[in-house]
């Protein structure tokens, strides 16, 4: 099982690389074994041998992943789910009719869809605020009625930045719990709980897994209490737990998280800088660019890079933007983010007509390839699509 570091404090990067210094008790393996059991034998007194009873509540491999995750997030506890959405839904399932939730108007569209559904079907009031406007978050809170302030930073797919510490303070002053979707700013760069949040949420399908080969979600809590127990119960009753094999893939992914994120951040910065002011591009949205309105906030709370996500607004219209996504040869036209391979996506097409996303926006997830190849690929696609014409 897991052997914790003998001489703390070791840095988070060291602990992540060694998956909490794992040496298998059975054969000395330096990677954990996968325990696929769906049920666990009881002892002679009919008590569980360890804490394990049935896999819908977790098991040894899931627990190992959760120990690594809690360490990474600096959390009292973490729970691993079968997807980001199942983690989000478990948290939001604890809301009651009449409760109020505040959230950004532009963020991951699945979160918006679920909040709209709660508003329609469960009588939960939701206020979506414009995260780019100073004071809008505070104005969206209803003292003593807002039970949850859900934020995402940087926000998908415009990469606006929300000040987590300030949001946590405002949320707590209103009596709300504060949850941060840290999918794009995982704990190798931002530790939301240390900034004051109650919950750090991750779609671990993205940077934490890192190889586009699993779906997983994570909730980490600053403290364990009745609400945390309720979230765990929802996971058990809905079967939202991560599968053991995916928990193992997640542990493996986390071992290289710091390295991958550092590389993706450096390459994204190079791509952003190259296309900022390019004749085929109207705007580049990236928190690391000097012109980003909240670069200082991003730099304060993202300690180790601004991440691999950026968007470009191409010159021309929707059809030129979609042509760029068709003409790329190195970027892969696919949804998702945070993997080792670079992806491109025409976000408006994916989100549908109700989306507020500009029709010329292309979302880029920068992977770990040579950034020169990515830049050259985008150059040729912009050229072929005729984006620079007429400028
Ligand atoms: C920022 C963000 N949050 C949440 C999710 C949902 O996670 P999953 O797809 O793992 O359910 C995603 C997925 O794209 C995301 O990008």
């Amino acid at each position: 099982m897991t052997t914790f570091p003998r001489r703390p404090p070791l840095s988070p990067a060291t602990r992540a690389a060694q998956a909490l210094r794992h040496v298998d008790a059975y054969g000395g393996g330096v990677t954990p074994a996968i325990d696929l059991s769906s049920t666990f034998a009881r002892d002679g007194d009919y008590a569980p041998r360890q804490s394990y009873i049935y896999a819908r509540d977790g098991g040894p491999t899931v627990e190992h992943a959760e120990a690594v995750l809690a360490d990474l997030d600096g959390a009292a506890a973490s729970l691993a789910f079968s997807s980001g959405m199942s983690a989000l839904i478990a948290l939001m399932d604890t809301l009651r009719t009449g409760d109020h939730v505040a959230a950004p108007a532009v963020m991951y569209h699945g979160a918006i869809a679920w909040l709209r559904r709660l508003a329609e079907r469960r009588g939960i009031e939701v206020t979506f605020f414009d995260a780019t406007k100073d004071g809008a978050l505070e104005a969206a809170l209803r003292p003593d009625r807002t039970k949850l302030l859900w934020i995402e930073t940087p926000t998908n797919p415009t990469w606006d930045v929300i000040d987590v510490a300030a949001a946590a303070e405002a949320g707590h002053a209103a009596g709300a719990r504060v949850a941060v979707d840290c999918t794009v700013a995982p704990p190798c760069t931002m530790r939301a709980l240390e900034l004051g949040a109650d919950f750090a949420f991750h779609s671990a399908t993205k940077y934490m897994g890192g190889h586009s080969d699993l779906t997983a979600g994570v909730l980490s809590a600053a403290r364990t209490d009745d609400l945390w127990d309720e979230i765990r119960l929802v996971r058990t009753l809905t079967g939202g737990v991560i599968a053991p094999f995916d928990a193992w893939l997640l542990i493996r992914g986390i071992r290289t998280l710091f390295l991958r994120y550092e590389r993706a951040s450096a390459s994204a910065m190079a791509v952003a800088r190259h296309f900022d002011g390019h004749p085929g591009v109207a705007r580049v949205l990236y928190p690391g660019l000097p012109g980003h309105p909240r670069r200082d906030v991003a730099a304060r709370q993202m300690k180790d890079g601004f991440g691999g996500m950026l968007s470009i607004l191409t010159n021309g219209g929707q059809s030129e933007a979609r042509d760029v996504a068709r003409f790329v040869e190195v970027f892969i036209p696919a949804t998702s983010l945070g993997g080792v391979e670079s992806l491109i996506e025409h976000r408006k097409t994916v989100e549908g007509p109700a989306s507020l996303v500009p029709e010329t926006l292309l979302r880029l997830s920068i992977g770990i390839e040579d950034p020169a190849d990515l830049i050259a690929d985008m150059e040729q696609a912009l050229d072929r699509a005729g984006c620079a014409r007429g400028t």
Side-chain angles (χ1 to χ4, degrees):
M1 286 298 294
T2 308
T3 314
F4 290 88
R6 278 164 299 181
R7 283 185 297 107
L10 295 173
S11 88
T14 304
R15 298 200 300 268
Q18 298 196 356
L20 281 177
R21 190 175 170 78
H22 174 87
V23 178
D24 193 74
Y26 177 65
V30 298
T31 60
I34 310 175
D35 190 324
L36 293 168
S37 299
S38 61
T39 190
F40 299 88
R42 290 170 178 260
D43 65 15
D45 298 324
Y46 208 66
R49 284 162 196 254
Q50 309 270 347
S51 54
Y52 316 121
I53 296 172
Y54 186 58
R56 187 148 41 74
D57 192 38
T61 312
V62 172
E63 197 178 270
H64 188 147
E66 289 173 346
V68 173
L69 290 161
D71 186 55
L72 203 56
D73 260 329
S78 295
L79 286 172
F81 292 77
S82 57
S83 70
M85 282 309 291
S86 74
L88 177 150
I89 288 170
L91 171 61
M92 293 192 182
D93 194 68
T94 61
L95 294 164
R96 290 172 171 74
T97 302
D99 285 351
H100 175 258
V101 180
V106 176
M107 62 171 173
Y108 174 60
H109 71 135
I112 294 179
W114 193 257
L115 283 170
R116 289 218 173 105
R117 200 179 152 85
L118 287 182
E120 278 163 23
R121 305 220 169 171
R122 240 203 234 180
I124 288 162
E125 196 193 338
V126 184
T127 303
F128 290 107
F129 58 86
D130 181 350
T132 63
K133 291 218 167 74
D134 286 341
L137 180 152
E138 290 78 2
L141 297 166
R142 309 255 183 287
D144 299 327
R145 267 204 59 217
T146 307
K147 290 290 179 294
L148 178 67
L149 169 61
W150 175 275
I151 58 171
E152 178 181 305
T153 185
T155 51
N156 233 307
T158 47
W159 319 118
D160 302 316
V161 173
I162 298 178
D163 185 329
V164 174
E169 210 181 307
H172 291 155
R177 304 273 186 143
V178 179
V180 185
D181 184 338
C182 308
T183 300
V184 174
C188 53
T189 195
M190 185 181 89
R191 305 219 323 166
L193 302 180
E194 279 171 10
L195 293 167
D198 300 292
F199 298 105
F201 162 90
H202 311 274
S203 165
T205 313
K206 312 298 186 314
Y207 284 107
M208 285 198 176
H211 296 75
S212 307
D213 55 10
L214 81 146
T215 60
V218 177
L219 270 180
S220 293
R223 63 193 168 284
T224 50
D225 54 12
D226 290 351
L227 183 62
W228 186 246
D229 291 345
E230 204 184 331
I231 293 168
R232 186 176 187 121
L233 180 68
V234 173
R235 188 185 72 164
T236 297
L237 295 179
T238 58
V241 69
I242 191 171
F245 184 64
D246 288 347
W248 184 86
L249 281 174
L250 182 52
I251 295 167
R252 190 181 65 166
I254 287 171
R255 293 171 84 131
T256 56
L257 172 66
F258 285 73
L259 206 58
R260 287 184 286 101
Y261 198 82
E262 195 182 311
R263 168 77 175 198
S265 294
S267 296
M269 184 68 100
V271 174
R273 282 222 173 101
H274 182 90
F275 290 103
D276 195 23
H278 185 280
V281 172
R283 268 185 82 192
V284 178
L285 309 176
Y286 185 60
L289 280 179
H292 190 284
R294 297 213 178 122
R295 189 190 184 281
D296 57 328
V297 178
R300 198 175 344 115
Q301 65 192 19
M302 297 172 81
K303 304 263 185 237
D304 205 14
F306 299 99
M309 295 307 299
L310 67 131
S311 295
I312 58 173
L313 276 66
T314 55
N315 276 326
Q318 164 153 308
S319 91
E320 282 84 354
R322 281 171 58 130
D323 279 349
V324 173
R326 286 197 304 129
F327 293 152
V328 285
E329 292 166 357
V330 179
F331 282 93
I332 301 170
T335 195
S336 202
L337 62 98
V340 289
E341 62 288 296
S342 294
L343 305 179
I344 185 167
E345 184 171 46
H346 185 252
R347 203 59 202 164
K348 182 92 179 176
T349 303
V350 173
E351 294 191 15
S355 163
L356 300 175
V357 172
E359 60 184 23
T360 59
L361 184 145
L362 292 171
R363 188 179 86 170
L364 308 181
S365 173
I366 304 297
I368 62 166
E369 305 95 333
D370 186 332
D373 288 335
L374 300 174
I375 289 171
D377 188 37
M378 185 55 67
E379 282 281 5
Q380 67 80 24
L382 287 165
D383 186 47
R384 250 183 100 190
C387 290
R389 246 177 263 138
T391 54

